[in-house]
Amino acid sequence: METDCTSNDLPVNGGTAPLPAGTRLLHIGPHKTGTTAIQGALFAAKDLLPEHGVVFPAHSRHPMEAALAACARPAMIGDTAPTEKHWTRLLEQVAATGGKTSVISSEFFADAEGDDTIARIVEQLGGMGVPPLERSREWGSVHVLVTLRPLAKILPSQWQQYVQNGLRMGYDNWLTHMLRKAPYEQPNPSFWRRHRHDRLVERWARAVGAERITVVVVDDRDREGLMRTFEQLLGLPENLLQPVPDATNRSLTLAETEMLRNLNKEFRGNGLPDELYSKLVRNGAVMHMKNACSPSPEDVKILTPEWAAEAAAEIGAGMVRRIGDLGVRVIGDPGLLSAVPKTPALDGIPAPRISPEVAARALYGALAAAAESPVRRTSPAKTRTVHQTSSKELMRVLGHRCLKKLRRR
């Protein structure tokens, strides 16, 4: 289903009408709505796009640092803070596309707060490299694309992603805080900034106008439907965009998430530095575990309790009504956003247990990340032995020593 408030162009591929040539299509996510799949497909087809009048102006699949800098948001825990240079570099790449259609995709644009920040992003994307006399015309204008999935499906995916960034709170407790404890901002204030989708669309509509917003409702039953929609919006041949396997983007199982969550508790409890977490845990243990271990059918999934699924569906219904009132173009079935998913009975579900292989892979990933830093030989310390040192103190000392080695590198 499509509600088109903007374009009189004839649709291609028997579906959605393409955007005007020269449009700067800004895909803002939000998180967990198929962004990684689209970014991977666009980047893989990067060399084929220009012959169809489209450019993907980025040197990597996901220009995350540029988006974070544009939105003045911090980096992930322990990562190097992005700078304005990242954003300026992306703007220069967009400007170099000239009159071709360009597509910029990052879910972190959904984290932008305040009308001034969003207006600046739109103005810089739409105006940079465009002669003043041309800026009022169609080419060079910014069109914002928002992809949406049902909130009930986003909740477990987003929780395990927060755990990958250091969260220590269990799923049930986290759901209670997000859905039942006003003002619903702790422990992750970014959640509703991203996923109160009606307010997200409204914020960006104030900057570009409702006629330059397209909302795409992702249907999980059609795994390549989002790619076909992108092809139609960009005027690309059908099936040009193809899925790119990416094990690093898979969600963690419940057992993997619980293992990581308990590691986060130990990590924080011993006062280890954030930089060490980024290097050894998120980009070491977790990344290697994702790459080396595929979930099996026996793995326990993260299940959302019925009360939370119903609450999410009710919020989704309200968001659908508000988005409809904004007058933006909607592609797909908005009813999916307020449907209550079928939740399996919780009785009889086995406790999540991490397999020895998965635990070993995670441990190896951390050790491999640590081993990348050269170890400088020093004379033996004439102090207490390891056996004479408490485990808590040992962890703290080990953590700081690893960090010093990483910094020297």
Side-chain angles (χ1 to χ4, degrees):
M1 180 178 73
E2 175 183 345
T3 302
D4 189 345
C5 306
T6 63
S7 176
N8 294 318
D9 297 331
L10 293 175
V12 297
N13 296 339
T16 303
L19 298 168
T23 295
R24 291 172 177 179
L25 180 62
L26 178 62
H27 177 211
I28 66 170
H31 293 67
K32 304 303 175 184
T33 59
T35 52
T36 301
I38 280 296
Q39 291 156 4
L42 287 167
F43 190 69
K46 184 177 180 179
D47 294 338
L48 302 175
L49 298 177
E51 63 183 275
H52 303 288
V54 180
V55 179
F56 186 71
H59 290 312
S60 63
R61 174 190 64 79
H62 178 201
M64 180 175 68
E65 293 86 357
L68 289 171
C71 300
R73 304 303 302 169
M76 297 183 74
I77 178 174
D79 287 356
T80 303
T83 67
E84 193 65 22
K85 290 182 180 179
H86 291 100
W87 175 233
T88 301
R89 190 178 302 119
L90 181 60
L91 288 175
E92 291 170 349
Q93 292 170 322
V94 172
T97 64
K100 286 186 169 62
T101 297
S102 55
V103 52
I104 306 97
S105 175
S106 174
E107 56 269 38
F108 285 96
F109 283 112
D111 286 349
E113 283 190 286
D115 289 353
D116 290 344
T117 298
I118 294 174
R120 175 178 57 81
I121 292 171
V122 170
E123 181 180 1
Q124 291 177 326
L125 276 176
M128 193 166 184
V130 181
L133 295 178
E134 298 286 347
R135 290 180 186 173
S136 61
R137 299 184 185 177
E138 284 296 316
W139 82 267
S141 64
V142 176
H143 192 99
V144 175
L145 178 64
V146 186
T147 45
L148 299 182
R149 292 177 68 233
L151 190 58
K153 294 186 177 182
I154 288 174
L155 285 167
S157 296
Q158 189 71 87
W159 171 70
Q160 62 86 34
Q161 192 68 53
Y162 282 131
V163 172
Q164 292 183 52
N165 199 39
L167 180 68
R168 292 164 285 170
M169 185 178 289
Y171 188 44
D172 286 349
N173 196 12
W174 183 81
L175 287 172
T176 298
H177 278 73
M178 291 294 100
L179 297 169
R180 287 180 168 175
K181 288 194 175 183
Y184 318 106
E185 294 178 351
Q186 298 301 325
N188 301 111
S190 63
F191 180 79
W192 288 117
R193 187 187 311 125
R194 299 167 177 174
H195 297 300
R196 186 71 206 203
H197 299 146
D198 50 347
R199 296 172 187 169
L200 174 65
V201 172
E202 186 177 18
R203 285 197 300 272
W204 285 86
R206 286 198 294 267
V208 299
E211 71 279 3
R212 297 194 186 280
I213 297 274
T214 295
V215 173
V216 177
V217 179
V218 178
D219 188 342
D220 290 340
R221 297 168 298 184
D222 183 2
R223 292 189 175 276
E224 295 187 15
L226 184 57
M227 293 190 189
R228 305 290 81 82
T229 299
F230 262 78
E231 289 169 346
Q232 293 167 14
L233 285 170
L234 296 170
L236 297 173
E238 190 171 6
N239 295 319
L240 179 68
L241 299 181
Q242 292 295 321
V244 177
D246 184 5
T248 62
N249 186 53
R250 76 164 177 87
S251 293
L252 300 180
T253 65
L254 179 58
E256 291 170 337
T257 309
E258 283 297 309
M259 179 188 71
L260 179 58
R261 187 173 71 85
N262 282 282
L263 175 58
N264 292 346
K265 289 181 180 180
E266 293 293 325
F267 195 94
R268 285 298 190 192
N270 286 282
L272 299 179
D274 289 348
E275 292 174 60
L276 196 63
Y277 186 91
S278 172
K279 179 70 176 179
L280 300 187
V281 180
R282 187 174 62 249
N283 294 309
V286 175
M287 194 63 68
H288 189 76
M289 183 172 63
K290 285 184 175 184
N291 279 322
C293 304
S294 300
S296 69
E298 291 76 27
D299 286 323
V300 179
K301 297 181 180 179
I302 302 171
L303 296 177
T304 302
E306 188 174 353
W307 71 265
E310 291 176 350
E314 184 177 351
I315 295 170
M319 293 194 295
V320 167
R321 288 192 295 270
R322 288 195 63 188
I323 290 173
D325 291 341
L326 292 173
V328 300
R329 173 165 66 170
V330 177
I331 298 172
D333 181 6
L336 294 174
L337 302 177
S338 58
V340 179
K342 295 180 180 179
T343 304
L346 297 180
D347 294 338
I349 295 178
R353 296 187 182 278
I354 197 80
S355 72
E357 179 188 3
V358 172
R361 294 289 187 182
L363 178 58
Y364 174 81
L367 293 174
E372 289 181 4
S373 299
V375 178
R376 186 173 63 183
R377 295 182 181 274
T378 57
S379 58
K382 297 179 180 179
T383 55
R384 291 170 294 170
T385 67
V386 169
H387 300 290
Q388 295 171 319
T389 307
S390 69
S391 59
K392 184 172 183 178
E393 185 177 356
L394 186 62
M395 284 189 67
R396 186 181 295 113
V397 172
L398 179 62
H400 284 284
R401 285 183 179 177
C402 287
L403 182 59
K404 284 178 67 177
K405 291 171 184 175
L406 294 173
R407 286 173 173 168
R408 281 201 299 270
R409 185 188 179 195

